[in-house]
Amino acid sequence: MHELTARQAEILAFIREHLASEGRPPTRPELARAFDLTSTNGVQKHLMALAAKGAIELIPNAARGIRLLQEAGLPLVGRVAAGSPVLAIENVLGRYPVDPSMFNPRADYLLQVRGLSMRDEGILDGDWLAVHRTSEARNGQLVVARLGNDVTVKRLKVRGTKAELIPANPDFQTLHLDLTRDSLEIEGIGVGVIRNLTAAVAPPARKVHRL
Amino acid sequence: MHELTARQAEILAFIREHLASEGRPPTRPELARAFDLTSTNGVQKHLMALAAKGAIELIPNAARGIRLLQEAGLPLVGRVAAGSPVLAIENVLGRYPVDPSMFNPRADYLLQVRGLSMRDEGILDGDWLAVHRTSEARNGQLVVARLGNDVTVKRLKVRGTKAELIPANPDFQTLHLDLTRDSLEIEGIGVGVIRNLTAAVAPPARKVHRL
DNA sequence: CCGGCAGGTGATAATGTTTTCACCATGCAC
DNA sequence: GTGCATGGTGAAAACATTATCACCTGCCGG
């Protein structure tokens, strides 16, 4: 999908909100009113641009025939490849119908937790950690941190230039960092945990495309 | 909300499905086609009946102006009052935007877990257990069981007429039951766990009515 | 300095959709 | 058996919505 222009992103956001608050997509006149356009044709062109870029699908001759694509839920991030951004395509295992607003602050993605380093806080191997993307974390928060090429989930403690990444399992060691030397990048904070109790991970429940 | 007739329930179910699969509510002609009605007026009457019973809201003069009411997510059940059905109104704390199809089998409600009897499986006090409503459970499954007036979450083990409800915490005792004497009602099986890591429980994220 | 793209106005035809007429049949409670 | 709720047909008017025409502006890169 090509990059959207600022205007197109605004319009896409409005469609998303309308869908959430009204339960149906907007019409072109509704969009025109929302953006103070006097002609529905301006809207139509934006919609066609969004459709061309793969952000939406337009169903011909259907009232409110606007369908959001690739909007179903949050991406599930598996093992993070060394050096790659967390949300890089190669790390994403699929999309799952989790409502971002279920957690506070909003969840941006799901991270599949590996290992038992947070076992005593009830976070087990394979659990999904709902992560709010931010580079700012406060003392005591559960953070998704990047240390060099590794991504890890721990409790954060900061004192001046010293930082600690504290596991919740006596079998694991607390990581002591000197912020004047070591690089500590916060990828986000953990806002929720989701565990599937039955069998293997189900395939994404909501299909993105339709033929 | 009054009870729906079988026909009305069918139509409501179709609207729900259409919304999930197409991303927008159906029109009256679409409903008529789906139910082999030759006139949209038959549909219209059903819709008005559903609206009168509070199942949907009809927005006048709006294409696809059908809005589902009380359909936002799953009910969260708190402490279950003695002797009352799990889903009795007095037990429901609110509705939360959890997609039932996120788990397999489908989640029917969320049960707020009390106590630490399943701690070693990573189910902590206050966690939400996604429950699939069924009276049949297999050996080894996590069950929501009713023992007299109490509702409890444990692993189930059955051998002939003997049943065990096994906690995951050495501080708690396994419950031994003789099915010829004791009553063991299975309310459902646990299919998932959801934990909110940040502060207090957020209010329901999606309003149900709109004025 | 010119072509192309994003973002517009304004108008209209064609189509989709809601709403309301009048009328009919069945089952069930009182 | 009469009244009422439910579940229908068929048709038409009114309104909502999509789609497409012609034409305009400003910005940017070659």
Side-chain angles (χ1 to χ4, degrees):
Chain A
M1 172 163 102
H2 292 197
E3 282 306 298
L4 301 182
T5 67
R7 195 64 163 156
Q8 288 163 3
E10 267 187 272
I11 288 171
L12 184 58
F14 180 86
I15 295 170
R16 225 193 304 274
E17 278 165 39
H18 191 281
L19 210 39
S21 74
E22 308 297 320
R24 55 188 193 283
T27 62
R28 286 152 184 75
E30 283 166 354
L31 280 161
R33 270 194 299 282
F35 288 92
D36 273 325
L37 304 188
T38 57
S39 166
T40 59
N41 191 37
V43 173
Q44 176 69 0
K45 288 208 192 161
H46 278 123
L47 293 180
M48 293 195 307
L50 284 168
K53 291 181 179 179
I56 62 173
E57 182 188 351
L58 290 177
I59 292 93
N61 299 317
R64 302 177 194 275
I66 302 173
R67 165 190 274 245
L68 291 178
L69 296 178
Q70 40 196 308
E71 291 303 324
L74 296 176
L76 173 64
V77 174
R79 198 176 300 270
V80 177
S84 71
V86 168
L87 283 173
I89 305 290
E90 71 258 31
N91 300 329
V92 174
L93 301 180
R95 281 186 172 264
Y96 290 85
V98 174
D99 189 320
S101 69
M102 192 161 67
F103 302 103
N104 194 306
R106 172 192 84 252
D108 294 310
Y109 61 93
L110 305 167
L111 178 67
Q112 195 163 44
V113 175
R114 286 290 153 216
L116 287 168
S117 68
M118 296 304 290
R119 185 196 63 190
D120 295 346
E121 288 194 24
I123 301 176
L124 309 182
D125 188 62
D127 283 5
W128 298 354
L129 185 72
V131 181
H132 174 67
R133 212 173 176 183
T134 174
S135 58
E136 292 165 32
R138 285 197 300 278
N139 242 322
Q141 282 183 325
L142 187 76
V143 298
V144 177
R146 180 185 289 273
L147 290 166
N149 278 338
D150 242 27
V151 169
T152 181
V153 175
K154 298 281 185 308
R155 287 255 165 225
L156 176 71
K157 193 161 154 186
V158 185
R159 276 248 152 54
T161 63
K162 307 282 187 190
E164 293 178 20
L165 291 174
I166 311 172
N169 185 335
D171 301 343
F172 288 75
Q173 302 272 316
T174 293
L175 272 155
H176 294 269
L177 299 170
D178 184 336
L179 296 179
T180 60
R181 281 202 318 266
D182 306 316
S183 85
L184 171 64
E185 283 173 71
I186 304 295
E187 292 274 355
I189 59 175
V191 293
V193 177
I194 296 174
R195 182 181 310 135
N196 216 304
L197 289 174
T198 49
V201 169
R206 214 176 278 167
K207 58 193 169 183
V208 168
H209 272 89
R210 186 182 51 118
L211 297 181
Chain B
M1 175 161 102
H2 292 195
E3 281 306 298
L4 300 182
T5 66
R7 194 65 163 155
Q8 288 162 4
E10 267 187 271
I11 288 171
L12 183 58
F14 179 86
I15 295 170
R16 222 191 305 273
E17 279 166 38
H18 190 281
L19 210 37
S21 74
E22 308 297 320
R24 56 190 193 282
T27 64
R28 285 151 185 76
E30 283 167 352
L31 279 160
R33 271 195 297 281
F35 288 94
D36 273 324
L37 304 188
T38 58
S39 165
T40 59
N41 190 36
V43 172
Q44 175 70 358
K45 288 207 190 165
H46 277 122
L47 293 180
M48 293 195 305
L50 284 168
K53 290 181 179 179
I56 62 173
E57 182 188 351
L58 291 177
I59 292 91
N61 300 316
R64 303 177 194 272
I66 301 172
R67 164 191 276 244
L68 291 177
L69 297 178
Q70 40 197 307
E71 292 302 324
L74 297 175
L76 173 64
V77 174
R79 198 176 299 274
V80 176
S84 70
V86 167
L87 283 173
I89 304 290
E90 72 259 30
N91 299 330
V92 174
L93 300 180
R95 281 186 171 265
Y96 290 83
V98 175
D99 188 322
S101 69
M102 192 162 66
F103 302 104
N104 195 305
R106 172 193 84 252
D108 293 311
Y109 61 92
L110 305 168
L111 178 67
Q112 195 163 42
V113 175
R114 286 290 152 215
L116 287 168
S117 68
M118 296 306 289
R119 185 196 62 190
D120 295 346
E121 288 196 24
I123 300 176
L124 309 182
D125 188 61
D127 283 4
W128 297 355
L129 185 72
V131 181
H132 174 67
R133 212 174 176 183
T134 174
S135 59
E136 291 164 32
R138 285 198 300 278
N139 242 322
Q141 280 183 326
L142 188 75
V143 297
V144 177
R146 181 184 290 273
L147 291 163
N149 279 339
D150 243 26
V151 169
T152 183
V153 175
K154 298 282 186 305
R155 287 256 163 225
L156 176 72
K157 192 162 158 187
V158 186
R159 277 249 152 55
T161 64
K162 306 283 185 187
E164 292 178 21
L165 291 174
I166 310 172
N169 185 334
D171 301 343
F172 288 74
Q173 302 273 314
T174 293
L175 271 155
H176 295 267
L177 300 170
D178 184 339
L179 296 178
T180 59
R181 280 201 321 266
D182 305 315
S183 85
L184 171 64
E185 284 173 72
I186 304 295
E187 291 274 355
I189 59 175
V191 293
V193 177
I194 295 174
R195 181 182 313 136
N196 216 302
L197 289 174
T198 49
V201 168
R206 214 176 278 168
K207 57 193 171 184
V208 168
H209 271 89
R210 188 182 50 119
L211 296 181

